[in-house]
PDB file of all heavy atoms in Angstrom:
ATOM      1  N   SER A 310     103.469  99.790 108.060  1.00  0.00           N
ATOM      2  CA  SER A 310     102.047  99.848 107.777  1.00  0.00           C
ATOM      3  C   SER A 310     101.490  98.420 107.474  1.00  0.00           C
ATOM      4  O   SER A 310     100.486  98.005 107.946  1.00  0.00           O
ATOM      5  CB  SER A 310     101.709 100.745 106.652  1.00  0.00           C
ATOM      6  OG  SER A 310     102.054 102.116 106.953  1.00  0.00           O
ATOM      7  N   LEU A 311     102.319  97.717 106.636  1.00  0.00           N
ATOM      8  CA  LEU A 311     101.922  96.317 106.285  1.00  0.00           C
ATOM      9  C   LEU A 311     101.700  95.487 107.523  1.00  0.00           C
ATOM     10  O   LEU A 311     100.672  94.857 107.750  1.00  0.00           O
ATOM     11  CB  LEU A 311     103.039  95.744 105.395  1.00  0.00           C
ATOM     12  CG  LEU A 311     103.029  94.329 104.918  1.00  0.00           C
ATOM     13  CD1 LEU A 311     103.871  94.184 103.688  1.00  0.00           C
ATOM     14  CD2 LEU A 311     103.566  93.384 105.957  1.00  0.00           C
ATOM     15  N   LEU A 312     102.670  95.543 108.443  1.00  0.00           N
ATOM     16  CA  LEU A 312     102.540  94.720 109.681  1.00  0.00           C
ATOM     17  C   LEU A 312     101.434  95.319 110.553  1.00  0.00           C
ATOM     18  O   LEU A 312     100.781  94.530 111.261  1.00  0.00           O
ATOM     19  CB  LEU A 312     103.872  94.796 110.436  1.00  0.00           C
ATOM     20  CG  LEU A 312     105.095  94.060 109.719  1.00  0.00           C
ATOM     21  CD1 LEU A 312     106.387  94.371 110.486  1.00  0.00           C
ATOM     22  CD2 LEU A 312     104.870  92.562 109.662  1.00  0.00           C
ATOM     23  N   GLY A 313     101.230  96.607 110.565  1.00  0.00           N
ATOM     24  CA  GLY A 313     100.259  97.227 111.358  1.00  0.00           C
ATOM     25  C   GLY A 313      98.845  96.635 111.051  1.00  0.00           C
ATOM     26  O   GLY A 313      98.142  96.255 111.971  1.00  0.00           O
ATOM     27  N   PHE A 314      98.490  96.668 109.739  1.00  0.00           N
ATOM     28  CA  PHE A 314      97.164  96.191 109.438  1.00  0.00           C
ATOM     29  C   PHE A 314      97.036  94.684 109.535  1.00  0.00           C
ATOM     30  O   PHE A 314      96.030  94.123 110.116  1.00  0.00           O
ATOM     31  CB  PHE A 314      96.792  96.557 108.002  1.00  0.00           C
ATOM     32  CG  PHE A 314      96.800  98.098 107.791  1.00  0.00           C
ATOM     33  CD1 PHE A 314      97.396  98.625 106.635  1.00  0.00           C
ATOM     34  CD2 PHE A 314      96.248  98.922 108.705  1.00  0.00           C
ATOM     35  CE1 PHE A 314      97.418  99.960 106.502  1.00  0.00           C
ATOM     36  CE2 PHE A 314      96.261 100.321 108.515  1.00  0.00           C
ATOM     37  CZ  PHE A 314      96.862 100.896 107.410  1.00  0.00           C
ATOM     38  N   LEU A 315      98.046  93.920 109.003  1.00  0.00           N
ATOM     39  CA  LEU A 315      97.888  92.444 109.120  1.00  0.00           C
ATOM     40  C   LEU A 315      97.860  92.021 110.557  1.00  0.00           C
ATOM     41  O   LEU A 315      97.081  91.158 110.942  1.00  0.00           O
ATOM     42  CB  LEU A 315      99.079  91.770 108.353  1.00  0.00           C
ATOM     43  CG  LEU A 315      99.192  92.066 106.841  1.00  0.00           C
ATOM     44  CD1 LEU A 315     100.299  91.183 106.226  1.00  0.00           C
ATOM     45  CD2 LEU A 315      97.894  91.853 106.138  1.00  0.00           C
ATOM     46  N   GLY A 316      98.808  92.577 111.358  1.00  0.00           N
ATOM     47  CA  GLY A 316      98.889  92.215 112.773  1.00  0.00           C
ATOM     48  C   GLY A 316      97.617  92.555 113.514  1.00  0.00           C
ATOM     49  O   GLY A 316      97.121  91.700 114.281  1.00  0.00           O
ATOM     50  N   SER A 317      97.064  93.697 113.207  1.00  0.00           N
ATOM     51  CA  SER A 317      95.810  94.038 113.935  1.00  0.00           C
ATOM     52  C   SER A 317      94.681  93.078 113.583  1.00  0.00           C
ATOM     53  O   SER A 317      93.940  92.628 114.464  1.00  0.00           O
ATOM     54  CB  SER A 317      95.331  95.486 113.548  1.00  0.00           C
ATOM     55  OG  SER A 317      96.392  96.373 113.929  1.00  0.00           O
ATOM     56  N   LEU A 318      94.565  92.775 112.267  1.00  0.00           N
ATOM     57  CA  LEU A 318      93.515  91.855 111.871  1.00  0.00           C
ATOM     58  C   LEU A 318      93.652  90.463 112.495  1.00  0.00           C
ATOM     59  O   LEU A 318      92.678  89.789 112.803  1.00  0.00           O
ATOM     60  CB  LEU A 318      93.461  91.700 110.312  1.00  0.00           C
ATOM     61  CG  LEU A 318      92.959  92.886 109.525  1.00  0.00           C
ATOM     62  CD1 LEU A 318      93.133  92.682 108.050  1.00  0.00           C
ATOM     63  CD2 LEU A 318      91.501  93.220 109.893  1.00  0.00           C
ATOM     64  N   TYR A 319      94.887  90.103 112.711  1.00  0.00           N
ATOM     65  CA  TYR A 319      95.182  88.787 113.279  1.00  0.00           C
ATOM     66  C   TYR A 319      95.048  88.701 114.750  1.00  0.00           C
ATOM     67  O   TYR A 319      94.961  87.688 115.348  1.00  0.00           O
ATOM     68  CB  TYR A 319      96.600  88.411 112.863  1.00  0.00           C
ATOM     69  CG  TYR A 319      97.017  87.031 113.199  1.00  0.00           C
ATOM     70  CD1 TYR A 319      96.484  85.950 112.440  1.00  0.00           C
ATOM     71  CD2 TYR A 319      97.969  86.682 114.177  1.00  0.00           C
ATOM     72  CE1 TYR A 319      96.826  84.656 112.662  1.00  0.00           C
ATOM     73  CE2 TYR A 319      98.326  85.394 114.419  1.00  0.00           C
ATOM     74  CZ  TYR A 319      97.736  84.355 113.646  1.00  0.00           C
ATOM     75  OH  TYR A 319      98.113  83.042 113.933  1.00  0.00           O
ATOM     76  N   GLY A 320      95.044  89.910 115.369  1.00  0.00           N
ATOM     77  CA  GLY A 320      94.900  89.989 116.915  1.00  0.00           C
ATOM     78  C   GLY A 320      96.150  90.276 117.626  1.00  0.00           C
ATOM     79  O   GLY A 320      96.220  90.168 118.835  1.00  0.00           O
ATOM     80  N   CYS A 321      97.261  90.666 116.902  1.00  0.00           N
ATOM     81  CA  CYS A 321      98.450  91.090 117.581  1.00  0.00           C
ATOM     82  C   CYS A 321      98.322  92.487 118.054  1.00  0.00           C
ATOM     83  O   CYS A 321      97.422  93.248 117.595  1.00  0.00           O
ATOM     84  CB  CYS A 321      99.646  91.049 116.636  1.00  0.00           C
ATOM     85  SG  CYS A 321     100.007  89.390 115.918  1.00  0.00           S
ATOM     86  N   SER A 322      99.239  92.932 118.968  1.00  0.00           N
ATOM     87  CA  SER A 322      99.245  94.342 119.365  1.00  0.00           C
ATOM     88  C   SER A 322     100.562  95.038 119.102  1.00  0.00           C
ATOM     89  O   SER A 322     100.637  96.287 119.153  1.00  0.00           O
ATOM     90  CB  SER A 322      98.688  94.496 120.713  1.00  0.00           C
ATOM     91  OG  SER A 322      99.485  93.737 121.604  1.00  0.00           O
ATOM     92  N   THR A 323     101.581  94.312 118.814  1.00  0.00           N
ATOM     93  CA  THR A 323     102.894  95.098 118.563  1.00  0.00           C
ATOM     94  C   THR A 323     103.591  94.568 117.266  1.00  0.00           C
ATOM     95  O   THR A 323     103.254  93.452 116.794  1.00  0.00           O
ATOM     96  CB  THR A 323     103.888  94.837 119.752  1.00  0.00           C
ATOM     97  OG1 THR A 323     104.154  93.437 119.853  1.00  0.00           O
ATOM     98  CG2 THR A 323     103.318  95.345 121.086  1.00  0.00           C
ATOM     99  N   GLU A 326     105.749  91.204 117.732  1.00  0.00           N
ATOM    100  CA  GLU A 326     104.839  90.017 117.789  1.00  0.00           C
ATOM    101  C   GLU A 326     104.453  89.598 116.365  1.00  0.00           C
ATOM    102  O   GLU A 326     104.432  88.440 115.990  1.00  0.00           O
ATOM    103  CB  GLU A 326     103.653  90.485 118.571  1.00  0.00           C
ATOM    104  CG  GLU A 326     102.760  89.459 119.182  1.00  0.00           C
ATOM    105  CD  GLU A 326     101.471  90.087 119.746  1.00  0.00           C
ATOM    106  OE1 GLU A 326     101.423  91.341 119.970  1.00  0.00           O
ATOM    107  OE2 GLU A 326     100.559  89.355 119.978  1.00  0.00           O
ATOM    108  N   THR A 327     104.118  90.617 115.566  1.00  0.00           N
ATOM    109  CA  THR A 327     103.576  90.330 114.228  1.00  0.00           C
ATOM    110  C   THR A 327     104.684  89.818 113.322  1.00  0.00           C
ATOM    111  O   THR A 327     104.525  88.857 112.574  1.00  0.00           O
ATOM    112  CB  THR A 327     102.974  91.681 113.621  1.00  0.00           C
ATOM    113  OG1 THR A 327     102.079  92.228 114.586  1.00  0.00           O
ATOM    114  CG2 THR A 327     102.222  91.321 112.321  1.00  0.00           C
ATOM    115  N   ILE A 330     105.667  86.163 113.418  1.00  0.00           N
ATOM    116  CA  ILE A 330     104.803  85.097 112.814  1.00  0.00           C
ATOM    117  C   ILE A 330     105.299  84.812 111.440  1.00  0.00           C
ATOM    118  O   ILE A 330     105.255  85.732 110.586  1.00  0.00           O
ATOM    119  CB  ILE A 330     103.334  85.578 112.869  1.00  0.00           C
ATOM    120  CG1 ILE A 330     102.914  85.782 114.321  1.00  0.00           C
ATOM    121  CG2 ILE A 330     102.461  84.587 112.147  1.00  0.00           C
ATOM    122  CD1 ILE A 330     101.550  86.482 114.458  1.00  0.00           C
ATOM    123  N   PHE A 333     103.704  86.271 108.325  1.00  0.00           N
ATOM    124  CA  PHE A 333     103.682  87.731 108.089  1.00  0.00           C
ATOM    125  C   PHE A 333     105.110  88.186 107.834  1.00  0.00           C
ATOM    126  O   PHE A 333     105.361  89.097 107.047  1.00  0.00           O
ATOM    127  CB  PHE A 333     103.107  88.463 109.310  1.00  0.00           C
ATOM    128  CG  PHE A 333     101.630  88.153 109.484  1.00  0.00           C
ATOM    129  CD1 PHE A 333     101.090  88.018 110.742  1.00  0.00           C
ATOM    130  CD2 PHE A 333     100.802  87.949 108.395  1.00  0.00           C
ATOM    131  CE1 PHE A 333      99.737  87.679 110.938  1.00  0.00           C
ATOM    132  CE2 PHE A 333      99.382  87.602 108.595  1.00  0.00           C
ATOM    133  CZ  PHE A 333      98.900  87.533 109.911  1.00  0.00           C
ATOM    134  N   LEU A 377     100.986  98.504 117.463  1.00  0.00           N
ATOM    135  CA  LEU A 377     100.309  98.654 116.122  1.00  0.00           C
ATOM    136  C   LEU A 377      99.408  99.895 116.101  1.00  0.00           C
ATOM    137  O   LEU A 377      99.236 100.456 115.068  1.00  0.00           O
ATOM    138  CB  LEU A 377      99.546  97.381 115.823  1.00  0.00           C
ATOM    139  CG  LEU A 377     100.350  96.119 115.770  1.00  0.00           C
ATOM    140  CD1 LEU A 377      99.488  94.922 115.321  1.00  0.00           C
ATOM    141  CD2 LEU A 377     101.591  96.216 114.906  1.00  0.00           C
ATOM    142  N   TYR A 419      90.520  96.388 108.015  1.00  0.00           N
ATOM    143  CA  TYR A 419      90.859  96.882 109.373  1.00  0.00           C
ATOM    144  C   TYR A 419      89.870  98.009 109.809  1.00  0.00           C
ATOM    145  O   TYR A 419      89.318  98.088 110.868  1.00  0.00           O
ATOM    146  CB  TYR A 419      92.333  97.312 109.352  1.00  0.00           C
ATOM    147  CG  TYR A 419      92.740  98.309 110.459  1.00  0.00           C
ATOM    148  CD1 TYR A 419      93.257  97.840 111.669  1.00  0.00           C
ATOM    149  CD2 TYR A 419      92.728  99.707 110.274  1.00  0.00           C
ATOM    150  CE1 TYR A 419      93.687  98.676 112.637  1.00  0.00           C
ATOM    151  CE2 TYR A 419      93.215 100.556 111.254  1.00  0.00           C
ATOM    152  CZ  TYR A 419      93.659 100.081 112.423  1.00  0.00           C
ATOM    153  OH  TYR A 419      94.109 100.901 113.392  1.00  0.00           O
ATOM    154  N   TYR A 430      90.469  97.563 118.274  1.00  0.00           N
ATOM    155  CA  TYR A 430      91.217  98.743 117.942  1.00  0.00           C
ATOM    156  C   TYR A 430      90.373  99.888 117.578  1.00  0.00           C
ATOM    157  O   TYR A 430      89.268  99.758 117.067  1.00  0.00           O
ATOM    158  CB  TYR A 430      92.313  98.479 116.916  1.00  0.00           C
ATOM    159  CG  TYR A 430      91.843  97.622 115.814  1.00  0.00           C
ATOM    160  CD1 TYR A 430      91.100  98.067 114.746  1.00  0.00           C
ATOM    161  CD2 TYR A 430      92.137  96.220 115.877  1.00  0.00           C
ATOM    162  CE1 TYR A 430      90.711  97.206 113.726  1.00  0.00           C
ATOM    163  CE2 TYR A 430      91.653  95.408 114.889  1.00  0.00           C
ATOM    164  CZ  TYR A 430      90.953  95.864 113.818  1.00  0.00           C
ATOM    165  OH  TYR A 430      90.489  94.962 112.886  1.00  0.00           O
ATOM    166  N   VAL A 487      92.388  86.961 107.449  1.00  0.00           N
ATOM    167  CA  VAL A 487      93.682  87.435 106.991  1.00  0.00           C
ATOM    168  C   VAL A 487      94.669  86.306 106.808  1.00  0.00           C
ATOM    169  O   VAL A 487      95.458  86.313 105.808  1.00  0.00           O
ATOM    170  CB  VAL A 487      94.235  88.524 107.950  1.00  0.00           C
ATOM    171  CG1 VAL A 487      94.570  88.000 109.291  1.00  0.00           C
ATOM    172  CG2 VAL A 487      95.446  89.291 107.388  1.00  0.00           C
TER     173      VAL A 487
END
Side-chain angles (χ1 to χ4, degrees):
S310 296
L311 175 156
L312 295 171
F314 300 134
L315 299 187
S317 300
L318 288 175
Y319 190 69
C321 300
S322 54
T323 62
E326 197 189 344
T327 312
I330 297 170
F333 298 143
L377 302 185
Y419 160 90
Y430 35 85
V487 66

